[in-house]
Amino acid sequence: MGTSTTLDRQRTRPGHRQYLPLVQGATLIEWTGTGLFLAVSTIYFVKVAHLSTSSVGTGLTIGGAVAVAAAVPIARLAGRFGPKPVLIGVMLLRALATVGYLWVDGWWSFLLVVAVIAVTEQSSPPLVQSYVGARAPESLRAKVMAVQRTVVNLGISLGGLIAGVALGSGAPAAFRPLLIGGAVAYVAVAAVYATARREEEAATAVGSARVADLLKDRRLLGFTAYNALVSLWMPVLNVAFPLWLVTETDVPERYVGILYAVNTVLCIALQYPLNRCYGTTRRAWFSYAAAALLLSCGALAFAAAPGLGAREALLVLGAAVVLLTFAELFQVGASWTLSFDLAPEQARSAYLVLFNTSRTVANRVAGPVLMTGVVLALGTAGWIALAGVLLLGALVPFVMLRSAAATGG
């Protein structure tokens, strides 16, 4: 009996070690390629493609809406063929679309390319997560995904540094190698998964799922909507925070980049150590409550900043960014554990693809409009209202845990 247990452990551990370099290596390549263009994309659209800022914002929002609609057919493909072949196809399509930016000469061509990019960007993370779910033991999934998230942030940072050096001349032609480099990175990721070993191929096989059944799953739809609410840290950090700092405080603009760096460093340093906070279902729900509460406190900190001097406002904004960062860490980690729990093994890929639309809704579709049209438009009152909604959202996990206890779940 003891020998059998030891052999089982030996089989699990080497497989896990062999698996990690594949996913994390592919992740580093993918997100370094993404980082090459991510930080400078708006500059490219305005200065090289000659689009107005309003048309860029509208195009990105429409692209996000297209991505949400595309989740259903992507989920159907993933449910039928498994995550690996769909992920390979998504990466190749993403490479083509990235190169397509070079031929953008107006709003319609921009919209076409940005919609394809949005679809592929939305599809990649849940497909990778499903691949992890098929290969990693349940007890290790949160750790694997925490490492993967750390690698994502490292890749974005590395790509951003390369982009900063490449664009030092300020010449429009400097964007071309960045876009080509990103496309090459996505092709490389597709090649990594395509050449994966046979046993990994077999492990990723899943059964088909009827999308109509998924759309009738109230737990899936409710959890997706709740995750979209707690994912509002993304538009708060990426849209509301820099605009609020620049327009409503006396803090110099250069501190936007510095505070973003604080967010990135904390994410890289803490995502893996915090995996114990959301490794089980119960802990994951508590992490969601903590994330919503931290977001609420962050919103109140943003509300207080305009009435302070430059130094005090910087400290308050810095505290708000730290609160948002911890909210990000808890929300992202909890979503891995609970989405794995929610998705039946035979339909995991389809469930995860549909669930991931919550991030797209928060980050690309509803979030930016909410931030600019409501929160920033109302000013201090908008931040306080957002804090109130998030505070109510912090109560949802306790209701879910109580319901699960009452039903014996």
Side-chain angles (χ1 to χ4, degrees), residues 45 49 51 55-60 101 104-115:
F45 298 145
L51 299 170
S55 64
V56 170
T58 302
L60 292 174
Y101 275 130
V104 168
D105 58 359
W107 189 79
W108 287 105
S109 57
F110 163 73
L111 180 61
L112 174 63
V113 174
V114 81

Side-chain angles (χ1 to χ4, degrees), residues 21 23 77 100 160 266 350 379 390:
V23 172
L77 289 172
L266 287 176
L390 291 166

